[in-house]
Amino acid sequence: MKLNTASSTISFSKELEDDSARFYESLIEKYPEAREPFSLFVKENKQNKVLVERAYYGVISDAIEGCFSFEDIDTDDFTIGVGLVENSSYSDALNRAIVMEEKIMKFYSAAAEVSKALIGDVARAFSRVARKRGERIHRLEALLSGKGSSSKY
């Protein structure tokens, strides 16, 4: 589905945050010893939603919404699968999380680029979330390489 409005882009970003939070909640259930980093990710997802929504509601008007298009953003390019394969290992789950985070980071980067000319506050919020997702990828890679706090898997 092509995103045509700021509203639809914000809605899709909220879906990504909710879906990825559910993924990390499932990791907490499967790997309770790794609760700390994944709980932090769930909390960050909620903060990301608030950040983007506040920026959007602070600047949006019917005039902007009616004249603005998020061309070249197709949700199919950024859809994430959040279910875990039943017999997946901890490292498989981390690899899947990294792929998911890369897709989400690319979405936020694309949305920031498209929106920067007209709704700068929203573009900055999107850019900030993209940076946070990049940092999260590094934390997941550290967990995967055994340098993180949950390396016993």
Side-chain angles (χ1 to χ4, degrees):
M1 172 179 87
K2 294 274 187 185
L3 299 176
N4 296 317
T5 65
S7 176
S8 64
T9 305
I10 298 300
S11 293
F12 184 68
S13 74
K14 289 168 32 177
E15 285 178 37
L16 288 175
E17 295 299 336
D18 289 340
D19 289 348
S20 61
R22 278 192 294 280
F23 175 77
Y24 288 115
E25 287 166 346
S26 71
L27 289 181
I28 292 168
E29 286 181 29
K30 189 166 182 171
Y31 307 105
E33 296 83 2
R35 173 177 295 281
E36 183 182 337
F38 300 136
S39 293
L40 178 63
F41 294 164
V42 171
K43 182 179 176 184
E44 286 176 353
N45 285 24
K46 291 175 186 175
Q47 293 169 345
N48 292 342
K49 280 176 54 174
V50 170
L51 173 70
V52 170
E53 284 180 322
R54 280 187 184 157
Y56 172 68
Y57 290 123
V59 300
I60 201 63
S61 72
D62 288 340
I64 292 175
E65 187 68 47
C67 301
F68 190 72
S69 176
F70 275 77
E71 296 175 9
D72 299 324
I73 296 181
D74 189 335
T75 59
D76 293 341
D77 297 334
F78 306 105
T79 303
I80 56 174
V82 295
L84 282 176
V85 177
E86 190 165 322
N87 296 323
S88 64
S89 68
Y90 182 66
S91 62
D92 290 340
L94 289 175
N95 279 316
R96 187 166 182 168
I98 290 168
V99 169
M100 177 185 70
E101 291 297 336
E102 289 171 342
K103 276 188 172 185
I104 294 171
M105 183 179 70
K106 287 177 185 174
F107 162 75
Y108 279 112
S109 296
E113 184 64 30
V114 170
S115 63
K116 73 180 178 183
L118 188 59
I119 47 179
D121 290 349
V122 174
R124 282 187 291 282
F126 284 148
S127 292
R128 184 173 174 192
V129 176
R131 278 191 309 276
K132 289 167 68 174
R133 292 294 183 161
E135 292 166 4
R136 188 179 288 187
I137 290 167
H138 293 301
R139 289 185 287 191
L140 288 164
E141 289 170 340
L143 288 171
L144 187 60
S145 70
K147 297 177 183 173
S149 62
S150 300
S151 60
K152 60 184 168 186
Y153 296 102

